[in-house]
Amino acid sequence: MKKLLLVVLLLGLLSSTSRVPMSQAQEVPNAVAVWQALQRLRTTATVLATQAHPDDEDAALLTWLARGAGVRTGLLSLTRGEGGANLVGAEQYDALGILRTEEFLAAARHYGVSDLFFTRAADFGFSKRLDETLTHWDKDAILRDVVLQIRLYRPDIIVSRFHGATRDGHGNHQAAGLLSLEAFKAAADPNQFPEQLKEGLRAWKVKKLYLGLRGNEAGATLKIDTSEKHPILQTTYRELAAAGYQIHASQFNNAAPFSNRSAMSVLRLAESVFPKATEEKSIFDQLDTTILGLAKVAGSNVFDSELAELNRQIEAAITKFDAKQSWGIHRELVAATRALRAIVAKVPVAKLTEAAQEQFLFLLNNKDRELNDALNLALGLSFELTPEDATASVVIPGQTFTLTHGVLNPSPVKLSKTDYLVQTPPNWTSTAKPFDEVTSKKNVRQRVTFKITVPADAVITRPYWQRNNELRDHVYAFNQLQHRGLPFAPPEIIGWFKYQIDGVGFLLTQPAQAERRLLTVVPALNVTLTPRTGIALKSNPLKLTVNVQSNVAKAAGKVRLKIPDGWTASPREQPFNFQQAGSAEFVFTLTPRLSDAIQSARIEAIAEFNGRNYHEGYQIIAHAEHEPRAFYRPAAMDVRFVTADIAPNLHVGYVMGVGDEVPQALEQLGVKVTMLKANDLATGQFEAFDAVLIGIRATAVRDDLKAHHKRLLEYAERGGHLIYQYQTPEFDAAPYAPYPYTLTPRAEEVSEEDSKVTVLDAAHPFFNFPNKITDNDFNGWVEERGSKWMTTWDARFQPLLECHDREQPPQKGGLMYAPFGKGAFTYAAYAFYRQLPAGVPGAYRLFANIVSWKKQPR
């Protein structure tokens, strides 16, 4: 009996933690959602797809599986895509990972995917080789994560997007394929990661493993036509997928990739517990995924009559379903639930083997939850759990507030024995105002009020994963192990609405929200310090800004800096006195003590209030319709000691592209930076600038640059210096440079940040004024050397540097210089936009020389 109780508790844990967190994850009650839920009831199949990054997925296949075949479909991405560029905002690295996780959640919901998972691997930028990726990651740790999700999710089938071979391209892709192949076997081996079995999991044997193929790739064993039409929407699964794929907006994805792909999703059966087939008719060949097939799982025919009744009621609901009156199938769904629970009650006395009993209950638990969801959708129930102040989406430790629990039943179906509950974290208190049982009537929103008190030591709402150094740590640490693998931790406050129909109980849940945004816990003070990386040049003072945001009505205290011995800060501290929630900035001047023995130092900002020190802050990541998320960082600055000169009184214009921190880095060098807007490019004069810099990927996102790039070339011809940082193939669409060139769609990248760099013209000013560049200046770079080298160029361009990855031909197109009229044009594909925020000294020295070109001694 104790063993059975452990099983039931485990099932409950799985049902609550293996699902996408509920913020915006629920299907909106409508005919399509009900139909989708009904399709899921008739199959016990589970498929888990694996890939390396958000946007790698075969979206058409996922949509066909989830919305066509009704399969319980999960998607496991090794990383959150934090290593790429951002085309919709300024977020980079871990903040970008949060944004892309939200995009991925939204895309997955569009596909109909049930669950989304991640490992602790961080995307560290483009990698060409498998061994490089596995060097950056801890292979054993990532394999452990993949095996964990397999054992939790228990898929019948795994579909790996990648093969673990060079044909996958990106080293992260190769790693995803390799780990999928290894996890297929490791998950079934109880000797692999035995600690997971001690946690209550069990070894799990996946039945089949498929590898995704390109349309014309050899070795296909199965082709799935995703051009079939959805029976209600009357659009193809491929078209539905294309709309969802566009949600990866930060990567500039859209439906275009689908236009060049076959309507077929092509697979190769790589591993199977069955005799391998060279040709299949269905991905479910040799699998019994029917309701009646559950008897084989139990290994007994004792449940045949109940399973037949369960199956009969499900099929009756599907046959009877009327999109105009979806609630009309409630009796069939209630009867199906009653039949299922009769089976569960019969299990303890059925004398099944322990393994059969546990798996049988696991599948029944999944089906019970799916029946519950189908009924909620069919009835069209809506549920709100909102604070008294409908706009207040944050609460503070120690705060007491009121929540209103409201349920609306638009159907004529009577709900009885209703109950309203609120689930909060441990140590919180929740008290409902006395209320009589509320019988939910048609179109009358029933309301119950709860008083909630947040303890003073409440845990702040934050991602459960973090890394100390976003550029140099490539594996996350988990601060809440119980949530590992999920996109985000579940919401703190969840409302429960319990009800019965014909004596059968059902449940509807909803997180607490204000204006459809999750209610979250934030600290009383939000403290941030800018810049995050400071550059100490000689003995020059550093200016830094501490921003203090008060989330409470009244807050009085002081702000100070924690600095190394021998350094001075002016002023030493500054007072604050908020009379209402708001924010204020405090500027400090920091004078470092330079030492040859010290290459870096760390400065911390501390705000003292109400007997507590606050020394971290958050940035809200909010885009489009995605759930806003708070990303926390220490209120700290890493100071790097840099020996770099800059030409005096330098003034540059900057055309921001997709977002980078290069302007702030230039200002730390003492450069005056003017950000150029659309009107400036159209009519402004550029002669005041010693250089005009174009930000990364600007030619992809700045229509004003596309329209007026010729004015910038004219500025260069008159004697200015026009500098384009790395661009994408859109750079080929117009003559942005004075002479012919091409990047091509497959422009080269040098991903090994420690690859040897050779100076091709040591006499060039870029390597001599005002700093003498040596081999040492290419040490300590992060992530990569650069991306999108020029592929071809006119003879009037001069390549200035050469480097290459292992097994790659020498690449000279990364730093290109061309005299033009009285001025010059430069294309700098080296990743200065990554190196400068990381405080890489040599990158600062070289970049200082490039922007100082106009003021070189003639």
Side-chain angles (χ1 to χ4, degrees):
M1 193 65 189
K2 288 183 178 178
K3 191 72 175 180
L4 178 60
L5 178 60
L6 176 63
V7 169
V8 172
L9 289 174
L10 175 61
L11 294 177
L13 175 68
L14 290 170
S15 67
S16 63
T17 63
S18 66
R19 305 177 72 191
V20 175
M22 287 180 289
S23 70
Q24 303 181 1
Q26 296 153 316
E27 291 270 19
V28 177
N30 57 43
V32 176
V34 178
W35 177 255
Q36 177 66 46
L38 292 176
Q39 298 311 299
R40 188 153 294 174
L41 295 179
R42 68 191 338 173
T43 176
T44 62
T46 295
V47 175
L48 179 66
T50 63
Q51 58 193 61
H53 315 96
D55 94 331
D56 288 340
E57 65 267 18
D58 183 343
L61 175 61
L62 292 170
T63 306
W64 179 86
L65 284 167
R67 297 201 177 276
V71 173
R72 175 174 173 256
T73 307
L75 181 52
L76 171 61
S77 176
L78 297 192
T79 77
R80 297 172 186 266
E82 49 276 275
N86 181 2
L87 277 76
V88 297
E91 295 87 358
Q92 294 185 32
Y93 309 116
D94 292 1
L96 177 58
I98 289 176
L99 169 58
R100 287 191 171 165
T101 299
E102 273 295 326
E103 289 179 337
F104 206 9
L105 275 167
R109 288 194 291 271
H110 201 98
Y111 308 148
V113 164
S114 312
D115 305 275
L116 187 60
F117 306 111
F118 298 90
T119 75
R120 72 192 70 204
D123 178 2
F124 54 86
F126 186 76
S127 169
K128 294 179 180 176
R129 303 189 330 274
L130 175 61
D131 64 320
E132 182 190 18
T133 290
L134 296 180
T135 298
H136 283 280
W137 293 345
D138 179 343
K139 179 191 173 186
D140 188 66
I142 309 308
L143 179 60
R144 177 182 287 107
D145 287 351
V146 176
V147 169
L148 175 72
Q149 296 310 321
I150 292 172
R151 288 173 172 173
L152 275 169
Y153 205 58
R154 304 188 191 179
D156 302 295
I157 298 167
I158 290 176
V159 179
S160 174
R161 193 76 169 102
F162 302 109
H163 297 198
T166 54
R167 55 82 67 192
D168 299 332
H170 197 319
N172 289 185
H173 294 172
Q174 296 179 51
L178 175 70
L179 291 169
S180 297
L181 288 162
E182 292 191 5
F184 175 85
K185 296 179 179 179
D189 183 354
N191 295 314
Q192 292 283 335
F193 312 114
E195 73 281 0
Q196 295 176 359
L197 277 63
K198 293 178 182 178
E199 293 177 13
L201 297 181
R202 55 176 287 203
W204 178 249
K205 185 181 289 293
V206 181
K207 309 303 185 296
K208 302 165 82 173
L209 169 67
Y210 287 93
L211 303 179
L213 298 180
R214 304 181 186 100
N216 58 355
E217 201 168 0
T221 58
L222 178 65
K223 294 184 178 181
I224 297 174
D225 186 359
T226 58
S227 66
E228 295 178 5
K229 287 190 175 182
H230 188 283
I232 294 181
L233 293 175
Q234 286 300 300
T235 188
T236 70
Y237 295 107
R238 188 163 170 269
E239 290 166 339
L240 286 172
Y245 197 70
Q246 292 182 74
I247 297 172
H248 293 294
S250 68
Q251 306 188 62
F252 215 49
N253 287 329
N254 50 44
F258 287 80
S259 62
N260 297 322
R261 293 182 186 170
S262 165
M264 295 289 181
S265 285
V266 185
L267 303 174
R268 180 171 78 223
L269 183 62
E271 298 283 355
S272 178
V273 299
F274 309 111
K276 275 193 185 179
T278 56
E279 191 172 327
E280 296 182 294
K281 294 182 179 179
S282 167
I283 195 171
F284 308 113
D285 279 1
Q286 304 185 81
L287 290 171
D288 188 345
T289 62
T290 64
I291 296 297
L292 298 179
L294 284 170
K296 296 177 183 177
V297 176
S300 171
N301 60 4
V302 71
F303 305 102
D304 285 358
S305 61
E306 290 90 346
L307 288 172
E309 174 64 8
L310 172 60
N311 187 68
R312 188 179 72 81
Q313 295 294 348
I314 289 172
E315 293 301 322
I318 294 173
T319 301
K320 186 179 177 182
F321 173 67
D322 180 353
K324 295 178 181 178
Q325 295 181 330
S326 62
W327 48 263
I329 59 173
H330 75 279
R331 294 191 186 281
E332 288 74 16
L333 295 177
V334 169
T337 304
R338 181 182 288 110
L340 184 145
R341 292 178 186 171
I343 299 171
V344 173
K346 196 173 178 180
V347 168
V349 297
K351 297 182 180 180
L352 308 182
T353 67
E354 182 179 320
Q357 175 176 302
E358 204 271 348
Q359 178 60 14
F360 190 45
L361 285 172
F362 178 87
L363 294 174
L364 292 173
N365 182 73
N366 283 344
K367 200 56 58 184
D368 191 293
R369 186 171 61 243
E370 291 166 1
L371 280 163
N372 186 93
D373 293 346
L375 182 63
N376 288 335
L377 290 167
L379 296 178
L381 298 180
S382 65
F383 183 0
E384 292 179 353
L385 186 62
T386 56
E388 187 174 11
D389 180 355
T391 64
S393 61
V394 299
V395 294
I396 312 299
Q399 180 179 345
T400 297
F401 62 100
T402 299
L403 283 175
T404 299
H405 200 306
V407 175
L408 178 67
N409 175 16
S411 79
V413 179
K414 182 179 179 181
L415 313 183
S416 63
K417 294 189 177 181
T418 56
D419 195 7
Y420 301 77
L421 304 170
V422 170
Q423 174 187 321
T424 61
N427 302 323
W428 291 37
T429 60
S430 170
T431 307
K433 290 186 177 180
F435 63 93
D436 296 327
E437 182 192 342
V438 181
T439 300
S440 187
K441 299 178 181 178
K442 181 178 180 180
N443 285 328
V444 176
R445 190 172 292 278
Q446 308 294 333
R447 299 183 185 278
V448 177
T449 302
F450 289 80
K451 192 176 192 179
I452 311 291
T453 299
V454 186
D457 60 351
V459 175
I460 301 302
T461 306
R462 67 177 78 215
Y464 67 85
W465 68 93
Q466 75 287 317
R467 49 182 174 164
N468 293 326
N469 189 313
E470 296 172 71
L471 286 169
R472 301 183 189 275
D473 295 341
H474 301 137
V475 177
Y476 286 111
F478 294 151
N479 55 42
Q480 295 171 303
L481 283 176
Q482 69 272 29
H483 304 317
R484 61 189 185 270
L486 293 178
F488 297 99
E492 275 82 3
I493 309 173
I494 299 173
W496 292 27
F497 172 60
K498 295 182 177 180
Y499 65 93
Q500 290 187 8
I501 299 177
D502 295 339
V504 180
F506 296 90
L507 174 68
L508 180 64
T509 61
Q510 174 69 19
Q513 293 179 310
E515 295 186 331
R516 299 190 180 278
R517 300 303 186 194
L518 285 176
L519 202 65
T520 57
V521 183
V522 299
L525 298 182
N526 175 21
V527 186
T528 58
L529 188 157
T530 54
R532 288 193 294 127
T533 301
I535 302 302
L537 298 168
K538 300 179 181 177
S539 296
N540 294 349
L542 298 173
K543 283 190 182 274
L544 55 86
T545 301
V546 179
N547 184 285
V548 179
Q549 175 188 340
S550 175
N551 292 315
V552 296
K554 292 188 176 183
K558 61 183 180 181
V559 183
R560 60 182 173 85
L561 298 180
K562 182 180 179 181
I563 59 177
D565 293 339
W567 294 39
T568 59
S570 178
R572 293 178 60 87
E573 61 184 36
Q574 300 187 55
F576 61 82
N577 189 355
F578 293 100
Q579 295 302 306
Q580 60 184 9
S583 64
E585 289 188 346
F586 304 89
V587 177
F588 291 83
T589 300
L590 191 66
T591 303
R593 184 182 70 176
L594 301 185
S595 168
D596 292 338
I598 301 175
Q599 300 299 315
S600 64
R602 190 167 178 86
I603 311 300
E604 296 180 39
I606 300 170
E608 299 178 6
F609 163 61
N610 202 23
R612 294 189 62 181
N613 290 338
Y614 295 85
H615 45 74
E616 69 173 351
Y618 58 84
Q619 168 191 2
I620 298 297
I621 312 299
H623 286 266
E625 298 302 314
H626 306 315
E627 180 69 51
R629 301 284 179 177
F631 171 54
Y632 283 81
R633 285 192 180 102
M637 176 175 71
D638 290 318
V639 178
R640 307 288 182 186
F641 291 78
V642 175
T643 304
D645 292 317
I646 192 81
N649 303 316
L650 206 63
H651 186 188
V652 304
Y654 202 90
V655 181
M656 182 60 74
V658 298
D660 59 61
E661 299 176 32
V662 172
Q664 297 92 316
L666 288 169
E667 288 171 344
Q668 289 199 69
L669 283 171
V671 178
K672 180 181 178 181
V673 180
T674 297
M675 304 304 293
L676 300 180
K677 307 297 183 183
N679 287 342
D680 300 316
L681 295 183
T683 62
Q685 300 301 310
F686 307 124
E687 264 58 40
F689 302 128
D690 296 293
V692 173
L693 278 80
I694 312 300
I696 62 172
R697 305 184 74 167
T699 53
V701 298
R702 289 285 296 261
D703 290 337
D704 53 343
L705 176 61
K706 298 174 188 177
H708 305 295
H709 66 275
K710 291 181 180 178
R711 297 191 73 244
L712 293 172
L713 283 173
E714 291 167 359
Y715 150 78
E717 190 173 25
R718 293 193 299 269
H721 187 193
L722 178 59
I723 306 166
Y724 276 82
Q725 296 176 81
Y726 112 84
Q727 303 297 312
T728 40
E730 293 84 359
F731 194 53
D732 288 348
Y736 290 102
Y739 313 119
Y741 65 91
T742 61
L743 294 188
T744 76
R746 293 188 173 273
E748 290 285 351
E749 314 195 16
V750 180
S751 63
E752 296 168 14
E753 64 271 20
D754 57 354
S755 59
K756 178 176 173 53
V757 179
T758 301
V759 174
L760 300 178
D761 180 3
H764 195 278
F766 284 5
F767 308 119
N768 293 281
F769 175 79
N771 304 289
K772 179 64 177 178
I773 301 302
T774 70
D775 289 346
N776 290 335
D777 290 307
F778 298 99
N779 294 336
W781 283 46
V782 297
E783 285 216 7
E784 60 182 344
R785 285 299 186 198
S787 179
K788 304 299 183 285
W789 267 213
M790 278 192 184
T791 301
T792 65
W793 53 84
D794 186 274
R796 285 166 287 189
F797 282 105
Q798 180 185 2
L800 298 176
L801 293 175
E802 184 277 317
C803 67
H804 59 277
D805 291 325
R806 273 177 279 177
E807 302 177 6
Q808 180 188 33
Q811 298 300 312
K812 298 181 179 181
L815 183 60
M816 307 294 292
Y817 168 83
F820 182 44
K822 296 180 180 179
F825 174 92
T826 296
Y827 179 67
Y830 281 78
F832 293 107
Y833 77 102
R834 294 198 190 279
Q835 313 312 316
L836 301 183
V840 176
Y844 266 96
R845 290 165 49 80
L846 178 56
F847 205 69
N849 285 10
I850 292 172
V851 297
S852 297
W853 173 86
K854 188 174 178 182
K855 291 194 172 182
Q856 64 179 296
R858 302 290 180 176

